[in-house]
Amino acid sequence: RSQWLVQEVKQRQQLYSDFVQVSSCCFADALQRSEPDPGSLSNLYGEIGRMRLFSSAPVIKEAYEIAHKIIATYMDTNRSGEEVRDFLAQDSIDLFSAFGDACRAELAALAPHEAVRLTRLQSHPAPTLAQLRAAKQPQQREWKADVS
C-alpha cells in the first residue's frame, strides 16, 4: 500500500504540473490574441479530462474555473508584449491559487503523513515576480579606494 500511495501521489503531481504548463501557455496566448488556438484549447481540455479520471471534484472544479478564465481572456482586449510584461510585473494574475489549494488538499487527504509538509507549502505562497527580480539582482556594494 505504501508503494502504491507514493506512485499515486507522484502521478497526480505530474498530472497537475502538466495542467499548469498547458494552461499557462493557453493563458499567455489569450492575453495577446482574440481567436483561440484550437490545438492549445484541446490540450487544455485533454488535461482536464485526464484529471477527471483520478482527481477529486474540487480539483476538477478549479481546473474548469481556470479554463473559463482563459476563454474569457480571449474575449478581452488583446495586449501588446509590453502590456503583458507590465501586467505580469504588477502581480495582477492569480490564475492558480485556488487550483493549487485544491490539489494540496487532495494530496494531503491521499497521504495524511505528508499533510504537514503540504500545509507548510501552502502557508508560504510563491514569491511575486517583483520579489524574484529583486532576488536576482546583484547586491550593490560600496567600494572604497584604499588611499593610504
Side-chain angles (χ1 to χ4, degrees), residues 4 6 12-13 21 25 31 35 37 45 57 59 64 78-79 85 97-98 102 110 115 122 124 133:
W4 172 85
V6 168
R12 291 187 195 198
Q13 286 174 331
Q21 179 65 38
C25 290
L31 286 171
E35 198 62 37
D37 176 39
Y45 281 94
V59 170
Y64 275 115
N78 291 343
R79 293 173 174 88
R85 279 191 304 279
S97 292
L110 191 62
Q122 184 178 11
H124 296 290
R133 283 187 182 143

Side-chain angles (χ1 to χ4, degrees), residues 2-56:
S2 177
Q3 189 175 5
W4 172 85
L5 197 54
V6 168
Q7 283 300 109
E8 187 68 20
V9 168
K10 285 183 180 181
Q11 178 183 1
R12 291 187 195 198
Q13 286 174 331
Q14 184 61 53
L15 183 61
Y16 302 149
S17 177
D18 292 347
F19 173 75
V20 168
Q21 179 65 38
V22 168
S23 55
S24 295
C25 290
C26 284
F27 186 70
D29 186 57
L31 286 171
Q32 295 186 313
R33 296 177 49 183
S34 297
E35 198 62 37
D37 176 39
S40 295
L41 287 181
S42 68
N43 288 338
L44 175 67
Y45 281 94
E47 292 298 327
I48 294 173
R50 286 177 54 207
M51 284 189 286
R52 291 179 64 86
L53 297 173
F54 304 103
S55 302
S56 64

Side-chain angles (χ1 to χ4, degrees), residues 34-144:
S34 297
E35 198 62 37
D37 176 39
S40 295
L41 287 181
S42 68
N43 288 338
L44 175 67
Y45 281 94
E47 292 298 327
I48 294 173
R50 286 177 54 207
M51 284 189 286
R52 291 179 64 86
L53 297 173
F54 304 103
S55 302
S56 64
V59 170
I60 301 301
K61 176 187 172 288
E62 294 305 332
Y64 275 115
E65 288 294 324
I66 291 170
H68 293 256
K69 288 177 186 176
I70 290 169
I71 298 297
T73 303
Y74 275 112
M75 294 182 220
D76 283 347
T77 306
N78 291 343
R79 293 173 174 88
S80 68
E82 185 176 324
E83 289 172 322
V84 170
R85 279 191 304 279
D86 291 344
F87 188 62
L88 294 173
Q90 294 171 5
D91 300 319
S92 54
I93 299 174
D94 186 19
L95 196 59
F96 297 109
S97 292
F99 177 76
D101 291 344
C103 292
R104 279 188 293 280
E106 178 181 274
L107 294 173
L110 191 62
H113 62 283
E114 291 289 319
V116 172
R117 188 179 67 80
L118 291 169
T119 303
R120 194 175 325 123
L121 287 173
Q122 184 178 11
S123 65
H124 296 290
T128 64
L129 187 60
Q131 290 169 329
L132 290 173
R133 283 187 182 143
K136 284 184 180 181
Q137 293 183 1
Q139 296 293 324
Q140 297 291 330
R141 294 185 181 176
E142 283 188 33
W143 295 97
K144 296 181 181 178

